[in-house]
Amino acid sequence: MLSQLKCFSPEQQDFKSYLNALGLVKQSKTLSAVKEFKMSAFDYLLYNSSSSNFKVIDFLKLTLEKLNQDYALKQISKRELADTTNGLKKYFQFLTLNGLVSDDWNQLFQSAKQRKPRLTEPKEREKKVFYINGRKQKDYVQNQYFRDYIERLKKRNASCIEEHYSTIAYFLRFLKSNGITSFESLPREYIKNYEKHLEGRYLLKEIKKKTAYDKLLKLKHFINYLYSNNLISYKYDIPLKFKGNPITRDNEYVSNEDRLRFIEGIVNNKLRHFQRDLATTLIFVDIGCRPIEVCNIRISDVNITESTLTLYCHKSGQRVLKVDKFVMKHISIYLEYRKKLPAETDHLFLLETGDPMNTKAIGGMINIYNKLTFGESRFSAKSLRHTFITNALNDRNDINQVSLSAGHKHLVSTLHYFYRSIETLLENTLPYNPVEGIDQIK
C-alpha cells in the first residue's frame, strides 16, 4: 500500500520515510498515534489521488480539529486527546527538522483547538485564577486584595514573586480552615494562632526555623499592605523568638563521590533530555551559579571560543564567568540537540514544550536523577552551589574573588561559607574530633 505514495510530492515521500523509521520510536502511545494518522492520511490520498496540492501539514491540522471536536463531544477522554496530540507533535518536529514545514506548532495547535463552552461568564471565571510569570495560579480564597498585592509586586518587578504567592496563599488557606475569608475581620489572635502553627511544625521538625521566619517575613509585608489600605487597624512585627542566631543559613555540602555518581547517573540513564540535564548539572558543579541564572542564560550569552558564560539575575546583576572546556563541550552538544526543539525564544535551556526552562523544572530534574542514582533525594541544585563556594574557599582562593564569582553583593555572605567550610573539612576529612576527650588522657 505504501508503494502507491511514490507518485506524490517530496513532503509525502518524507511522510513515508518517517513511517519506515517508526520502529525506532519506543513510546507505544506515540507509535499508535502516528500509525492511526498514517492510515487516515493514506485513505485520504487513496480517494483523492487526483489532488496534487495535498500537504501533510494540512491534513495534520484537520486531524487536530477532529480530535478537539471529539473531545468536546466527549467521544474521547482528556488523556487520549493529550497522548494523540503529543504523538502528532513528534511527527511535526520530524517534518520541521527536515525543513519540510516552517509552521509554528503552537499556532497550528491553537488554531485547531476547540474550547468548551464557558459555564460561567468570563468575568466570573477570571476571578478564580491569575497569572505569575505566565503560569496559571489558583486564587485560594478568591480575594481581590490578595490579587492586588501580587499585581503590585509584579509592577515593582519584585524578586521571588512566586515565593510570596505560595507563602501568603498558605496563610490564607490556614485562615480559611478557621472560617476566616474576609480581611475586614482579621483579629490579631488568628495571626498568633498561625505563629503557634508554624512553631509546632518546627518543633516536630517538619520545617526549619529559618523557613518559619521566611513565611512570617512575607506575611509581614502583606499585613502591612492591608494596613496601608485601611483594611486592618494594626501593623505586624515578627516575634523575637523567630529571630536571632538560632535561625541560621543552610550550607549543604555534596561529597566528590556523590557528585561523580550523580553525573554518571545522568549519562547512564539517558532520559529524554539527558543532553540538557548533563549540561546544566555540569554548570552547577563547575561555577556554582544559582538555578535562576541558568534559566536566564540565552544563546548569545554563550561564548564557545572564549569558553565563557554571561550570567544574570535580579539579585546579583550580570557577570561573566570562565567555564571548563569539558563543560563547554557538552553545552555545544546540547546546542546541536536544541535545534530539534520547537523554540520561539533564544533562552539556552528549554522545556519539551519549547518554553524557557524554569527553576521548578531544574528542581524536578535534580530530584529525578537523585532517586535514579541513590534511591533517595540527597541534594538540590542549591547544594551544588554551596559545595562549589565551600571548596573554593578550602582551596585558599582569594575570598573577594570567590565572592565575585558567586555573585554575592556583600562579602558577609561569602564569610558565612568561610566559617562553615572549617566545619565541613572536619566532617569530611577527620574520622573523629582530635580535641574531643582530651581531658580524659592520664
Side-chain angles (χ1 to χ4, degrees), residues 250-275:
D250 297 329
N251 188 27
E252 303 163 8
Y253 188 85
V254 186
S255 68
N256 208 28
E257 179 185 356
D258 281 354
R259 281 180 289 160
L260 290 174
R261 284 183 60 191
F262 185 80
I263 293 172
E264 288 174 357
I266 297 175
V267 175
N268 294 335
N269 283 287
K270 282 187 169 58
L271 299 184
R272 186 179 303 174
H273 302 292
F274 86 95
Q275 296 98 330

Side-chain angles (χ1 to χ4, degrees), residues 389-440:
I389 299 172
T390 301
N391 286 344
L393 292 170
N394 289 343
D395 292 340
R396 298 184 179 182
N397 290 289
D398 181 74
I399 192 169
N400 291 299
Q401 291 298 321
V402 174
S403 182
L404 288 173
S405 177
H408 288 155
K409 280 189 174 181
H410 306 289
L411 190 60
V412 67
S413 300
T414 315
L415 285 172
H416 162 76
Y417 295 92
F418 177 77
Y419 293 118
R420 291 300 298 275
S421 68
I422 298 173
E423 298 174 12
T424 303
L425 278 173
L426 289 172
E427 292 172 0
N428 290 275
T429 60
L430 297 178
Y432 61 91
N433 188 337
V435 178
E436 186 176 349
I438 196 171
D439 57 340
Q440 299 178 8

Side-chain angles (χ1 to χ4, degrees), residues 93-289:
Q93 291 172 344
F94 177 84
L95 293 178
T96 305
L97 182 63
N98 286 271
L100 293 170
V101 296
S102 58
D103 301 73
D104 174 59
W105 169 262
N106 292 323
Q107 292 181 358
L108 178 71
F109 179 73
Q110 290 296 334
S111 64
K113 189 173 182 181
Q114 299 292 327
R115 295 186 178 274
K116 287 186 176 181
R118 291 181 182 269
L119 299 178
T120 57
E121 293 296 324
K123 290 184 178 178
E124 193 67 29
R125 183 184 179 92
E126 197 64 25
K127 291 181 181 179
K128 298 180 181 179
V129 296
F130 58 100
Y131 293 85
I132 298 177
N133 295 335
R135 290 194 289 274
K136 185 184 293 185
Q137 304 286 357
K138 184 177 179 180
D139 188 344
Y140 288 97
V141 294
Q142 299 179 30
N143 188 281
Q144 188 60 41
Y145 293 105
F146 176 43
R147 297 166 63 91
D148 292 343
Y149 178 71
I150 297 298
E151 290 299 324
R152 181 189 181 195
L153 293 177
K154 290 163 65 175
K155 288 179 181 178
R156 290 169 50 196
N157 196 25
S159 60
C160 306
I161 296 178
E162 290 191 24
E163 286 80 356
H164 278 270
Y165 159 79
S166 59
T167 300
I168 298 168
Y170 180 80
F171 171 68
L172 296 179
R173 291 198 299 273
F174 175 82
L175 290 181
K176 193 173 182 180
S177 67
N178 286 274
I180 299 294
T181 57
S182 174
F183 295 126
E184 284 79 359
S185 56
L186 183 59
R188 287 177 183 265
E189 62 185 82
Y190 283 97
I191 298 180
K192 297 294 182 184
N193 292 339
Y194 182 63
E195 292 171 357
K196 292 178 182 178
H197 167 72
L198 293 178
E199 187 177 12
R201 291 194 62 191
Y202 163 68
L203 293 174
L204 292 172
K205 296 186 177 180
E206 294 178 354
I207 60 174
K208 296 180 180 179
K209 198 168 186 179
K210 179 181 181 298
T211 303
Y213 175 80
D214 288 340
K215 287 182 178 294
L216 292 177
L217 181 61
K218 292 177 174 60
L219 175 63
K220 174 182 177 180
H221 295 307
F222 181 58
I223 293 295
N224 291 343
Y225 168 78
L226 297 177
Y227 173 81
S228 66
N229 284 273
N230 299 318
L231 288 171
I232 56 178
S233 58
Y234 56 88
K235 286 187 176 183
Y236 175 68
D237 196 18
I238 304 173
L240 289 174
K241 62 182 177 181
F242 290 98
K243 300 179 181 180
N245 293 330
I247 303 172
T248 58
R249 295 175 56 184
D250 297 329
N251 188 27
E252 303 163 8
Y253 188 85
V254 186
S255 68
N256 208 28
E257 179 185 356
D258 281 354
R259 281 180 289 160
L260 290 174
R261 284 183 60 191
F262 185 80
I263 293 172
E264 288 174 357
I266 297 175
V267 175
N268 294 335
N269 283 287
K270 282 187 169 58
L271 299 184
R272 186 179 303 174
H273 302 292
F274 86 95
Q275 296 98 330
R276 179 201 67 191
D277 301 340
L278 180 59
T280 52
T281 301
L282 289 174
I283 290 173
F284 289 131
V285 172
D286 186 42
I287 59 177
C289 58

Side-chain angles (χ1 to χ4, degrees), residues 344-377:
E344 291 186 0
T345 174
D346 64 342
H347 283 81
L348 177 61
F349 296 110
L350 304 176
L351 300 172
E352 187 177 11
T353 59
D355 297 318
M357 198 174 190
N358 52 60
T359 54
K360 185 177 181 180
I362 287 179
M365 178 266 292
I366 296 289
N367 189 49
I368 287 172
Y369 285 111
N370 261 285
K371 292 181 178 178
L372 288 173
T373 305
F374 308 109
E376 61 179 356
S377 184

Side-chain angles (χ1 to χ4, degrees), residues 280-333:
T280 52
T281 301
L282 289 174
I283 290 173
F284 289 131
V285 172
D286 186 42
I287 59 177
C289 58
R290 299 180 178 90
I292 186 62
E293 291 174 327
V294 170
C295 297
N296 290 339
I297 296 175
R298 299 178 181 269
I299 295 177
S300 57
D301 295 328
V302 180
N303 189 326
I304 298 177
T305 306
E306 299 293 331
S307 193
T308 61
L309 289 177
T310 301
L311 304 177
Y312 173 80
C313 75
H314 180 76
K315 190 172 184 178
S316 58
Q318 182 174 298
R319 66 190 189 281
V320 179
L321 294 181
K322 190 88 171 177
V323 298
D324 190 273
K325 289 184 178 180
F326 178 78
V327 178
M328 186 56 70
K329 172 187 173 183
H330 284 279
I331 293 176
S332 302
I333 293 173

